[in-house]
Every structure is written in structure tokens, then in C-alpha cells.
Amino acid sequence: MNQREGYTDDVVKGFITWSIIWGVVAVLLGVVISLQLAFPQLNLPPYLTYGRLRPIHTNAGIFGWGIGSFMAFFIFITQRLTKTRLWSPGLARFQLYLFNVVIALAALTLMLGFNRSKEYAELEWPVALLVVVLWVIFSINIIMTIIKRKEEQMYISLWYIMATLVGVAVLYLVNNAAIPISLTKSYSAYAGANDANVQWWYGHNAVAMVLTTPPLALFYYFLPKSTGVPIYSHRMGIIAFWSLVFMYLWTGAHHLLWTPVPDWVQTLAMAFSVMLIAPSWAAVFNGYFSMNGQWHQMRENYLVKFLIFGVTFYGLQTLQGPSQAVRTFSAFIHYTDWIPGHVHMGTLGWVSLILFASIYYTVPKIYGREIYSVGLVNLHFWLAVAGQLIFSITMWVAGIQQAAMLHATNPDGSLHYSFMETLVEMYPYWHGRALGGIIYFASLLIFVYNIVKTVTAGKPAAVTQKA
Amino acid sequence: MLEKKPIIFLLIATGVILIGTVVTMIAPFKWINDPKLKIAEVKPYTPLQLEGRDLYIREGCNNCHTQTVRPLLADVERYGDYSKAGEFVYDQPHLWGSRRTGPDLARIGGKYPDAWHYKHMADPQSMVPRSNMPKYAFMQRPLDASLAERKMKALGFPYSQAELDALKGKSEMDAMVAYLQKLGNDIPWRKAARTTVAGDIKNPFRDDRSVLAEGKSIYDKECAQCHGNDLKGGVGPSLADLKQSEADMFKIVFSGSPAGGMPAFGDILGKERVWKVVTYLKSRGH
Ligand code: HEM
Ligand code: HEM
């Protein structure tokens, strides 16, 4: 327990528990929808069709598993980096309660078909309003803790945390602007190409502010904690920070290449996407260089293994992303299975591996117990990596094949394949992806079992480490 | 310096975020709303079409279907004329989508007769056996149009009482099909894009029995859904004993008969394969 330091860790426990639960739901739904694509008879209209379940999958993944854990770790990390107790533990407990209400409402309303249709901003306006309340409460609590801090210097993780708080707020408010018709129906405030451009300014920066800056905050905190040596360069972290938060906002239109959005917006997006490689890889190098002389820990320390694999997938992700943002390549792979391959290397590889490491680090600490089984941790690791690689690789091959078929022409200039002829070739890959998903799901169950056992039956920690 | 001043840090971070936002998200409104991009023929949705659009959103069809045709050969030949900004001015929200598990629907309007859609929506696999689109037979239930007038007002679309009254007794499916048939059809692209047959129209495979197997397989994949597995007809007329000349058959298959509900297959199949399927039909006719 952290009575000694006096930190508020009971809500951290609560957020970790609930984010794991929503994570299991998200991955399970991922498996279900991947099976629905391969076996359409698994659609159960009206509520359980692919069209209604896919948004629940993405929302449970990004908001339930992602944001839920980030809330846990922002609260955990901020207290320790500021050497200050959370500003208001009561508010945080209310936040946990509201968080679960919001995610449950999100799942329920999406299943009923109350959907704004904008990706990652599907929730109808009453639920979206609750999200805003949730975020405001959360932000106030974290920012007040930082203001009242006892440690003057703010470590780089706190920078990423604060950027996330303002970034998400700005994005969410703008893209959710709506004309309400009834409690369950509203129309976007923007129309057509304008709406699309606002949406993908939001959509890509949801990637930035939810799937990039928070895991980076965690990475910068948990890597030195796990290895016992400080981060290679704080200065490099800071330069990378400012260029990252500056450049990301210019890139939304790389989701809209070749559409009626003005050409110059697309070109800017393409250029800034390529430039983003620099700050992204600065973080990757910062991680690698911190391992100088410590590489043996990859074998001995499972936390390091998760973190370094995670940041490696981040590195690959931020090379692949910019390539997809180039017009010629986009013409080819846009709209194909290549993109889910990209998405899940990020979510399953980068984001989830960092979260697993953070949970494996934190849970023994706040419950004062040792991890139940290191063997199971390693099994979890290898199954998760295998499942994710099977998923991503089958989808990249599938995407390239379908793209090649869709673009193939006959000598007289007509198309060589009808749409259906390309679709039937996808089935074997969809079976492969479902298999990868099932393996990943199995790894997740092992993880859950190990965590539950640690909490209920782990050996009491011999020496309470300093947090 | 900033390491010690959280409030100033937050302000500067917000400022940095807003630069890219202003340039790439706010400024483009001016370009997109340029009056020069307006297309006079593009009309707002009728109450029935708008209800259909809302059902499309409710069912999440946009998770599998896009609605933008890119100016690329593979898109234009498969889906029709490329999309223009002016065509979407009434779309709140846009439904461009990000994934084409199914084909693009930006120009689905007028591609098929209504009857095809009713059958396909209820049971896609009955028309396209290996489709993975879910079955939407439940949408034969009555349409709840209680918010129709409020929706039209909120979006500022013109409507008449007659149109609202006509919603009574409609099914969800009626609304969905009405919406699909409007999509991409306001500008007269079909007429402009209609592929006409140039050069001499002579069957290169006449009496060549070796192409019959391929002709049949093309028929099963592309034509049986409308003309029936046994050529006896369905959505389209029976082709069992056609008296047409090969050249006339070629013309209707190649260029279609948009008004009659027969899609054009010239771009999708190419001349050679159209001839093969015609050869197959001829072989069945006698
Ligand atoms: C092993 C577990 C998982 C499986 C089997 C799975 C499966 C799927 C499938 C089948 C799709 C639809 C792809 C398509 O449109 O063709 C999808 C989309 C998506 N999933 Fe997952 N998923 C899993 C885990 C996750 C997790 C944990 C997250 C988030 C943290 C996530 C985030 C997303 C997102 C953001 C999309 C939308 C991608 C896009 O629009 O291109 N997934 N997933
Ligand atoms: C330098 C960094 C990155 C760049 C330039 C980039 C670029 C792109 C591009 C161009 C697309 C659109 C592909 C298409 O539809 O044709 C895309 C999709 C996506 N990326 Fe990345 N990416 C980057 C990093 C990441 C990271 C770290 C994640 C974390 C998970 C991620 C998650 C996603 C998701 C979820 C989508 C799917 C959006 C959708 O269509 O719904 N990306 N990315």
C-alpha cells in the first residue's frame, strides 16, 4: 500500500480493473466482427450486425480500454512525479463511476443504432455531453494536482499528459458540434466536404492525442522505472514533444487523399505526415539509447520486453503511416484491408503492449504483492505478439492483393476483375485474421488470470519498493 | 523555463495545436464553400430519402461502404464519374467512409431497378452468393416517420405536406431504397459516361464452343441475380429464347439500358468477356 506516501491509489485500482474489463469486451467484439466478415451468417439482425457492432468495438477499444487505463496511469504518474496527493480523491471516485456509466451507455446506444456515424465520434449528443463532463472533471483534477505540486521540475511525462488533456478537449468539442433533433438523433453541424475535413482533422488527432501522446507519457515514465536507469535525453524528449504536437494537427487530410477536399489541404497533410517521422522516431531512439548497456534486461526483465517491443511497433507504425499518406501509395491501399493491418499494429502492438507493461508494473506495487507467475507473463507476451503479427501481416497481404486486383486492367482498358471477384479472394485472409484475434484473446485471458491471482493470492512483496 | 510553469505551458501548447488547426481545418471552409463549386442540379433530400439516409446511418452501412469516387481509373470505371465537392452540400454528416468492404455507393442511384434492391437488401446472398453483407429483411417493418418534419426544418430542406403524408404506410425498406436511388444521380453523369460501342460489332467467338464455359461462369456471377439461374428471368426479363441478333445483345450488355434497369457491363467486363457471355446466351437460345 502507499499509505506511507499518502497517494490516492484506490481509484487507480478501480480504473485498472474497469479498463481491463472493457479491454476484454473490445477484443472479444473484435473477434466477433472479424468472424462476421468471414462468416456473414453470424450477423444477428437487428442489434448484432457488423454495422452496429464495429463502432462498439472501436469505442470499447479506444475509450474503454485506452482512455480507461490512461485515466488510471495519469492519476498514478502525476501524483508521483509531483510528489503530491491527488487534488480531489472524491472527484476521482465520481469520475470512475461516470466513466463506467458512459462506456456502458455508449455500448447500449450504439447497439440500438443511435449513432452519429462519424468515426470515433459516434456517440449521440447526450452521451457525448457526459463525455465532456467526464473529461473536464479529469482535467481539473490532474491540472490542479500539477499546480499544487511539491516537485518544481515537470518531467516529460507530465508534458504529454497536459497536452492530451487540452488536445482531446479541443478536438472533441469541435467535431461533436451538432443540431439535435431528439434525445437520440442529431445532425452534424457541418456538411459534405467540410464535415469530412473536420472529421478527419479530429480522427487523425484522436490517433495523436489518445493513441500516441498518452502511451508516450507512460513509456517515458515506466521505462526508466523498469530499467532503473534514467531516460537517455530529456532534452530530445522535449524537442520531439513540441514538434509532435505542432505537426500532428496538419495531417488529418491524409485520410481524404483523392477526395473532393481541396488539393492544397491534401498536399499539406502529405508533407507533414512525412515530417512526422522525425519526432516520432526521436521517442523511439530515446527509448533505444536508454537501453545502452541494459540490453540484457530484455531477457531478464519482462517489463522491459513489453516496453521495448511496444516502442518498436510504434516506430514501425510511424514509418508505415507516412507511407500511406503519400498520394500514389494511398491510391492503392486506401479503403483496403491494409488499413486495419496498420490500425492493429498500433492498437495491439504499441498501445496495448505499453498498457500491459504499465499494469504489470503498477498492480504489484499498489496491492503490495509480487506478480503471481512470471512464466504466465512471458506466455502472455509471446501469444500477444504472435496474435498481433498474424493479424497485421495477413491484412497487409490481403490489402495488397485486393488493391492489385482492383486496379488490374485488360488490354482494351476495361477492368480485369469485378468487385466480387476481388472480395472472394479475401476470405482466407479473414480466416487468418480471426485466428490471430483468437490467439490475442487467449493471451488476454492469461493476463487477466495472472492479474487476478496476483491481487488475490500473490506473495506479499518482500520489500516495499519506493514508488 | 516552461518546465516550471504549468499554466503558461498549457496556454502555449494550446496555441501550438491551434496553428495547424486554423490552416488545415478552419481555412478550408472558405475553399470548399466557394460558390464556383456549387452544382445547380444537386437537390436536397426529400422526406422519404432523408429517412432512408438516417436508416443508413443507424445500420452503420458506412462501416462497409464508402461514398466517394476518386479520380482514378479503377474507381471511375467501376463506380462512375468521380465525386465533386458540390454534390455533398446537403450531407450532414458526410458518409464518405474509410473502408470498402463492399463497393462504393456514391453513384448507386439508377444502377439497378428498385426490385433488385428490395431483394438484395432482404437477402444479399440470394443475389450475390458469396457476399458478406448482413441480411436486412427486418427493415420490411413500418417506418417511424414521427420526426420527419422536424428533421426537414432543422436542415432547412424544402418539403410539402403531401410528401409528409406520403410517408404513412411506408416501410423502412421503402425509405432505404428511395435514398439509394437518389445517390449520385442528380448530375446527369450516366448519360455522359455511357460507353457506346465503336468499330465493327462482330463476334470474335462465333460458334467457338471453347468459350462457353467461361461465358456461363460470367453469366452465373454477373447476370443470374437478375435474369435467373436458368435464364427464366426475375428482376430482369427472361433470356431463354431471345430472338435478338448477337450484335444487339452485345450492345445492350455492353452499354446497358439505364432506363430499363439493365446495368452496363462494358467497363466492368471488357469487350471480350461481353462477347463470351453473349456467345453463351446464343448457344442456349437455340
Ligand atoms: C485481437 C483483437 C482484435 C480483433 C480481432 C479486431 C478486429 C477488428 C476488425 C475485424 C475490424 C474491422 C476491420 C475492417 O473494417 O475491415 C476492426 C477495426 C478496428 N479496431 Fe479492432 N480488433 C481487435 C482489437 C482492437 C483493439 C484492442 C483496439 C483498440 C485499442 C482496436 C481498434 C480498432 C479500430 C480503431 C478499428 C477501426 C479501423 C479502421 O477504421 O480502419 N481493435 N478491428
Ligand atoms: C507518423 C505517424 C502516423 C501517420 C503519418 C499515420 C498515417 C495514417 C494514414 C495516412 C491513415 C489512413 C489510411 C487510409 O485510410 O488510407 C492512417 C489510419 C489510421 N492510423 Fe495511422 N499513422 C500514424 C501513426 C499511427 C499510430 C501511432 C496509431 C496508433 C494506433 C495509428 C492509428 C491509425 C488508425 C486507428 C487509423 C484508421 C483510421 C480510420 O480509417 O478509421 N496511426 N494512419
Side-chain angles (χ1 to χ4, degrees):
Chain A
M1 296 295 191
N2 277 290
Q3 243 58 320
R4 198 162 40 87
E5 290 98 334
Y7 295 141
T8 303
D9 282 340
D10 53 339
V11 289
V12 176
K13 291 178 188 169
F15 272 111
I16 290 180
T17 308
W18 282 100
S19 82
I20 294 177
I21 291 171
W22 293 118
V24 171
V25 171
V27 171
L28 186 61
L29 280 174
V31 172
V32 169
I33 61 173
S34 73
L35 288 168
Q36 283 180 330
L37 286 179
F39 307 99
Q41 58 278 26
L42 295 176
N43 283 287
L44 302 176
Y47 302 115
L48 305 178
T49 58
Y50 178 84
R52 294 201 191 183
L53 289 183
R54 189 183 186 275
I56 308 184
H57 164 65
T58 58
N59 277 278
I62 297 179
F63 298 106
W65 167 232
I67 296 273
S69 318
F70 298 140
M71 285 179 165
F73 294 117
F74 282 14
I75 293 175
F76 180 87
I77 293 176
T78 303
Q79 297 186 90
R80 280 150 181 87
L81 286 177
T82 56
K83 297 212 166 64
T84 308
R85 189 164 198 255
L86 189 66
W87 180 65
S88 167
L91 205 54
R93 273 191 292 277
F94 175 67
Q95 180 194 333
L96 173 62
Y97 169 79
L98 186 59
F99 166 76
N100 282 311
V101 170
V102 166
I103 303 290
L105 268 180
L108 188 71
T109 53
L110 289 175
M111 196 162 72
L112 293 173
F114 308 146
N115 183 331
R116 301 178 66 241
S117 92
K118 298 175 84 169
E119 262 183 286
Y120 319 126
E122 285 95 348
L123 306 179
E124 266 302 349
W125 65 273
V127 188
L129 269 184
L130 289 180
V131 173
V132 173
V133 174
L134 183 65
W135 200 257
V136 169
I137 291 176
F138 176 47
S139 304
I140 289 177
N141 219 346
I142 296 288
I143 291 171
M144 285 310 289
T145 309
I146 293 177
I147 288 175
K148 296 211 164 317
R149 73 195 180 286
K150 303 207 181 74
E151 167 73 51
E152 207 188 7
Q153 201 78 2
M154 295 192 297
Y155 181 64
I156 185 78
S157 293
L158 290 179
W159 294 43
Y160 280 109
I161 287 175
M162 286 194 283
T164 303
L165 297 179
V166 287
V168 170
V170 173
L171 293 165
Y172 203 80
L173 287 176
V174 174
N175 194 41
N176 275 281
I179 309 167
I181 302 294
S182 72
L183 266 183
T184 58
K185 177 74 197 165
S186 68
Y187 290 117
S188 172
Y190 321 102
N194 288 314
D195 190 52
N197 197 47
V198 173
Q199 157 61 26
W200 286 109
W201 162 83
Y202 167 89
H204 193 69
N205 290 296
V207 169
M209 297 296 170
V210 178
L211 302 175
T212 299
T213 51
L216 278 175
L218 271 50
F219 178 75
Y220 274 115
Y221 179 82
F222 287 112
L223 184 71
K225 285 287 172 195
S226 305
T227 56
V229 292
I231 201 81
Y232 169 74
S233 166
H234 197 247
R235 196 187 167 77
M236 183 156 101
I238 283 172
I239 296 172
F241 171 86
W242 287 112
S243 20
L244 190 95
V245 295
F246 174 68
M247 288 183 203
Y248 246 107
L249 280 295
W250 295 71
T251 58
H254 66 209
H255 293 264
L256 296 169
L257 299 178
W258 301 100
T259 68
V261 162
D263 272 345
W264 64 266
V265 184
Q266 300 180 27
T267 306
L268 272 179
M270 182 160 90
F272 274 84
S273 300
V274 174
M275 279 152 45
L276 259 180
I277 296 176
S280 308
W281 270 80
V284 180
F285 280 130
N286 223 344
Y288 286 164
F289 291 156
S290 308
M291 293 292 291
N292 264 342
Q294 300 297 326
W295 286 103
H296 58 93
Q297 292 207 31
M298 280 295 276
R299 245 176 300 120
E300 299 150 9
N301 184 339
Y302 56 83
L303 295 176
V304 174
K305 196 158 60 187
F306 275 94
L307 291 166
I308 293 296
F309 263 74
V311 86
T312 302
F313 284 127
Y314 175 64
L316 295 175
Q317 186 79 352
T318 54
L319 288 177
Q320 185 181 54
S323 75
Q324 295 163 188
V326 176
R327 271 207 187 82
T328 40
F329 192 52
S330 169
F332 203 58
I333 47 79
H334 191 38
Y335 302 134
T336 71
D337 268 318
W338 173 281
I339 306 305
H342 169 72
V343 170
H344 291 85
M345 174 161 69
T347 53
L348 300 178
W350 157 238
V351 177
S352 297
L353 289 191
I354 299 296
L355 290 181
F356 292 139
S358 311
I359 294 173
Y360 278 134
Y361 174 91
T362 310
V363 164
K365 191 139 281 173
I366 56 185
Y367 285 92
R369 294 180 187 270
E370 276 174 20
I371 196 79
Y372 174 70
S373 161
V374 174
L376 286 182
V377 175
N378 285 318
L379 183 62
H380 166 214
F381 176 81
W382 289 112
L383 284 179
V385 171
Q388 183 248 307
L389 285 176
I390 293 175
F391 187 140
S392 290
I393 293 170
T394 50
M395 288 302 100
W396 294 327
V397 179
I400 294 286
Q401 177 172 340
Q402 191 177 29
M405 291 179 81
L406 287 170
H407 286 265
T409 50
N410 297 317
D412 67 356
S414 61
L415 298 170
H416 193 68
Y417 296 102
S418 71
F419 181 83
M420 270 316 282
E421 285 172 314
T422 73
L423 182 130
V424 294
E425 297 299 325
M426 295 298 107
Y427 282 103
Y429 299 110
W430 286 338
H431 297 155
R433 186 240 316 262
L435 177 73
I438 290 168
I439 294 175
Y440 199 93
F441 185 64
S443 85
L444 194 62
L445 293 183
I446 294 169
F447 161 75
V448 172
Y449 174 78
N450 206 0
I451 292 295
V452 170
K453 279 301 212 182
T454 301
V455 170
T456 55
K459 272 194 292 191
V463 257
T464 345
Q465 288 163 286
K466 264 196 67 194
Chain B
M1 176 265 314
L2 277 178
E3 279 109 312
K4 297 180 182 167
K5 301 211 162 48
I7 299 294
I8 296 182
F9 170 87
L10 277 172
L11 291 175
I12 295 183
T14 312
V16 168
I17 288 172
L18 286 180
I19 301 171
T21 300
V22 169
V23 178
T24 66
M25 190 275 275
I26 297 178
F29 274 88
K30 185 163 155 339
W31 270 259
I32 294 170
N33 297 342
D34 185 340
K36 280 206 289 292
L37 296 181
K38 256 206 134 55
I39 304 177
E41 294 106 319
V42 174
K43 292 177 290 287
Y45 297 95
T46 65
L48 186 64
Q49 290 164 349
L50 187 65
E51 290 297 336
R53 190 167 200 274
D54 289 341
L55 294 170
Y56 187 98
I57 293 173
R58 183 188 76 189
E59 294 309 328
C61 311
N62 52 304
N63 287 299
C64 284
H65 291 289
T66 56
Q67 288 189 19
T68 24
V69 184
R70 298 171 297 171
L72 301 169
L73 183 79
D75 268 32
V76 172
E77 289 205 350
R78 201 165 265 116
Y79 305 120
D81 196 11
Y82 70 88
S83 297
K84 294 149 191 77
E87 292 184 83
F88 299 99
V89 292
Y90 300 113
D91 286 11
Q92 278 173 272
H94 76 293
L95 291 172
W96 292 1
S98 69
R99 179 78 184 86
R100 276 183 190 157
T101 303
D104 188 89
L105 298 181
R107 303 212 180 277
I108 190 71
K111 178 175 173 187
Y112 299 119
D114 287 357
W116 186 92
H117 285 293
Y118 281 96
K119 281 180 75 176
H120 179 259
M121 287 298 299
D123 186 2
Q125 287 72 25
S126 72
M127 313 291 278
V128 185
R130 301 216 52 204
S131 172
N132 65 355
M133 173 160 151
K135 298 186 196 332
Y136 290 99
F138 73 91
M139 289 175 72
Q140 278 140 359
R141 66 194 183 190
L143 174 73
D144 170 12
S146 52
L147 294 171
E149 185 163 16
R150 201 182 305 174
K151 289 175 177 174
M152 296 298 282
K153 278 200 181 123
L155 294 176
F157 294 167
Y159 63 95
S160 66
Q161 192 54 42
E163 281 175 319
L164 292 179
D165 293 342
L167 294 176
K168 268 198 214 86
K170 294 278 191 233
S171 70
E172 293 190 338
M173 199 76 100
D174 295 330
M176 181 60 94
V177 174
Y179 169 62
L180 291 172
Q181 293 292 28
K182 189 228 191 228
L183 277 180
N185 229 1
D186 285 346
I187 62 171
W189 69 276
R190 269 183 209 283
K191 234 180 259 150
R194 224 179 137 185
T195 12
T196 38
V197 204
D200 56 338
I201 305 181
K202 223 177 103 215
N203 188 354
F205 304 113
R206 175 169 293 168
D207 300 327
D208 180 350
R209 303 198 59 84
S210 69
V211 302
L212 292 185
E214 192 185 345
K216 175 168 175 11
S217 104
I218 297 170
Y219 179 86
D220 289 344
K221 267 194 263 184
E222 305 290 346
C223 326
Q225 47 183 289
C226 289
H227 292 290
N229 287 325
D230 47 6
L231 278 70
K232 291 275 166 52
V235 174
S238 162
L239 302 179
D241 25 41
L242 275 185
K243 299 284 172 275
Q244 283 175 341
S245 71
E246 279 185 333
D248 284 345
M249 276 164 84
F250 178 83
K251 269 192 236 159
I252 189 168
V253 180
F254 194 89
S255 313
S257 163
M262 164 74 193
F265 285 90
D267 281 342
I268 300 171
L269 293 175
K271 270 190 187 165
E272 215 168 82
R273 284 191 288 174
V274 171
W275 275 123
K276 286 176 183 165
V277 72
V278 167
T279 310
Y280 164 71
L281 288 178
K282 263 306 193 205
S283 79
R284 294 287 306 264
H286 303 295

